[in-house]
Amino acid sequence: MPAFKQQVWQQRRASPELLLKLAYAQQQLGRYPAALLYLSLAHAREPRVRTWRQLATLAAQHRLVGYPATWQQELRVQAQRYYYPGLQVLLAGAVVTAIWLLWRRSPRTAWLGYAAGVGLVGIYLHLLRPKPAGLVARAGTTLMAGPSAGAAWLSTAAIGDRLLVLGRQDIWYRVRWQQREAYVREADLLLVE
């Protein structure tokens, strides 16, 4: 296992299969935070419903938040899985269409249709893009109402809780927590992209 860990953390070379093997080994050793981390990394590299279900099951066993086990989430996982291949097809289609329109010296109305198609590609990029998530890395991590130690305290997160990252401000991550925004110190969150 040390050689595999070296591939992941020092050489930054790890296939989703290797990450899943490491997650399984950590789960068998009873180290659920490490198992969640490796499963999350594998899921970020290659989104699969099976990996998500394993994440949700492990999180439910430890009463963690941020791992919905719903059909909507499984649909999101499928959309993430085909996001980049779909984007490649759409962009290639846009280039081929533009070349064809130039070659045919198409009228202005054809170009307006092309512009509408490019607008749909932009909507695809914006609405379906993968959103970064963070795993709480420290026990007693506080969720604050603002990006300051003096802001109102909202809650305490458990190790392994998954929070969607909305942005960053100084040393704070702005995250989604119980349908509202909260702030977590950068050192308390492992970003999984």
Side-chain angles (χ1 to χ4, degrees):
M1 197 153 71
F4 292 146
K5 285 184 179 179
Q6 181 182 11
Q7 279 186 333
V8 173
W9 299 111
Q10 292 174 354
Q11 298 172 3
R12 303 267 185 213
R13 293 182 309 132
S15 67
E17 292 80 19
L18 174 64
L19 292 167
L20 289 172
K21 287 177 186 177
L22 285 169
Y24 177 76
Q26 294 297 331
Q27 190 172 359
Q28 294 305 311
L29 292 171
R31 300 176 186 154
Y32 82 88
L36 283 171
L37 176 62
Y38 288 124
L39 281 170
S40 295
L41 290 172
H43 181 71
R45 295 251 171 105
E46 189 175 293
R48 297 214 181 259
V49 172
R50 190 170 10 133
T51 306
W52 182 260
R53 286 180 184 157
Q54 183 64 28
L55 270 166
T57 301
L58 187 58
Q61 290 172 354
H62 297 281
R63 295 187 180 112
L64 300 174
V65 299
Y67 302 90
T70 62
W71 66 270
Q72 294 97 336
Q73 179 62 28
E74 290 185 5
L75 193 60
R76 273 188 218 103
V77 169
Q78 287 295 351
Q80 287 174 352
R81 181 176 181 185
Y82 297 111
Y83 177 77
Y84 290 110
L87 182 60
Q88 290 172 342
V89 167
L90 289 173
L91 292 176
V95 169
V96 168
T97 303
I99 292 170
W100 185 75
L101 288 173
L102 284 170
W103 181 67
R104 301 248 330 173
R105 297 182 191 225
S106 299
R108 180 174 267 175
T109 56
W111 283 101
L112 289 174
Y114 175 75
V118 170
L120 290 174
V121 171
I123 290 171
Y124 177 87
L125 275 169
H126 180 70
L127 293 180
L128 296 178
R129 76 179 181 279
K131 294 175 178 59
L135 297 178
V136 175
R138 295 187 182 167
T141 295
T142 57
L143 297 165
M144 308 297 281
S148 162
W153 175 85
L154 296 174
S155 183
T156 302
I159 292 178
D161 280 348
R162 184 175 179 272
L163 306 169
L164 290 179
V165 177
L166 304 174
R168 185 174 174 186
Q169 188 173 346
D170 197 21
I171 63 167
W172 298 87
Y173 282 119
R174 186 169 47 96
V175 297
R176 172 79 50 211
W177 174 75
Q178 293 185 352
Q179 308 306 327
R180 54 192 274 198
E181 288 184 8
Y183 290 84
V184 176
R185 283 189 188 267
E186 177 183 26
D188 295 336
L189 203 66
L190 290 173
L191 197 60
V192 179
E193 295 184 83

